[in-house]
Amino acid sequence: TKVSRTHDNWFPSFNATYSIQPALQLRAAYSKTIGRPPMQYLIPNLNIQDLTEMISVRNKDLKAWTSDNLDLALAWYFGPAGTMSVGVFKKTIANAFLVGRYVIDEALRRQYGLESEYVGWTLNTRTNSSDKLNLTGVEVDVQTELDQLLPWAKGFSVFANGTQLSGTATN
């Protein structure tokens, strides 16, 4: 089996920062990104496991995913080495990688060139989503040097971050 791919496209990004005050900044960004499948996902391979009646197949036709990303964040810089930020984002992903587990029927048997004895077994493979995935979320991040709070803790820092994420799929 021979596979040939090109990933030539336009992947622009735009970033803007507005200083509300010297220590308070508003950031906005747009980017279009690509995620190519790892090589091990593309190298043809068929693994038949008799004991579990499972067949794993690599998908040489797996496409790269692309994403349109919008980000907005407000960052506050306090002290010589502290930051606190909150941001929101939206990402629209096309061709997302999916891990599929299917019961082999006649159509799958023919598609993968399997013998009829494998009908009813389980087939594992990776595919691309036909739907677009829409992810939205909120991110919060805090970082500071501990000596800002405790003078004896010079050289130590703490950080915390969290993300709330929700998603939907659309055609």
Side-chain angles (χ1 to χ4, degrees):
T1 300
K2 181 179 178 182
V3 177
S4 177
R5 294 267 160 64
T6 60
H7 296 288
D8 52 347
N9 205 335
W10 183 249
F11 298 101
S13 67
F14 303 98
N15 301 283
T17 301
Y18 176 71
S19 292
I20 299 168
Q21 296 177 356
L24 188 62
Q25 295 183 349
L26 179 65
R27 294 193 178 118
Y30 164 81
S31 63
K32 184 169 183 79
T33 55
I34 185 171
R36 295 173 182 91
M39 188 63 70
Q40 69 265 22
Y41 291 3
L42 301 175
I43 298 170
N45 186 36
L46 180 94
N47 183 358
I48 299 174
Q49 301 166 8
D50 291 322
L51 291 175
T52 58
E53 295 188 348
M54 192 172 296
I55 299 175
S56 297
V57 178
R58 292 187 186 155
N59 183 353
K60 66 178 179 49
D61 297 321
L62 199 60
K63 300 174 193 164
W65 58 259
T66 57
S67 178
D68 287 297
N69 312 292
L70 293 170
D71 296 272
L72 185 64
L74 185 64
W76 174 47
Y77 297 88
F78 57 92
T83 62
M84 183 182 301
S85 66
V86 63
V88 294
F89 62 86
K90 180 179 182 194
K91 301 181 183 310
T92 303
I93 303 168
N95 293 320
F97 302 148
L98 300 177
V99 177
R101 182 171 281 184
Y102 310 97
V103 175
I104 298 173
D105 59 10
E106 269 304 308
L108 279 176
R109 183 192 74 74
R110 282 192 300 274
Q111 180 181 344
Y112 290 101
L114 300 170
E115 301 296 325
S116 59
E117 68 187 88
Y118 298 117
V119 171
W121 283 35
T122 301
L123 177 83
N124 293 322
T125 191
R126 283 183 168 76
T127 60
N128 292 104
S129 172
S130 59
D131 292 336
K132 287 193 177 188
L133 303 180
N134 300 297
L135 301 175
T136 56
V138 176
E139 300 172 308
V140 177
D141 180 69
V142 179
Q143 300 179 50
T144 189
E145 297 290 329
L146 275 181
D147 63 353
Q148 299 298 304
L149 304 169
L150 307 165
W152 54 266
K154 187 170 179 78
F156 290 93
S157 62
V158 293
F159 62 91
N161 54 29
T163 303
Q164 181 276 325
L165 182 67
S166 63
T168 59
T170 58
N171 288 331

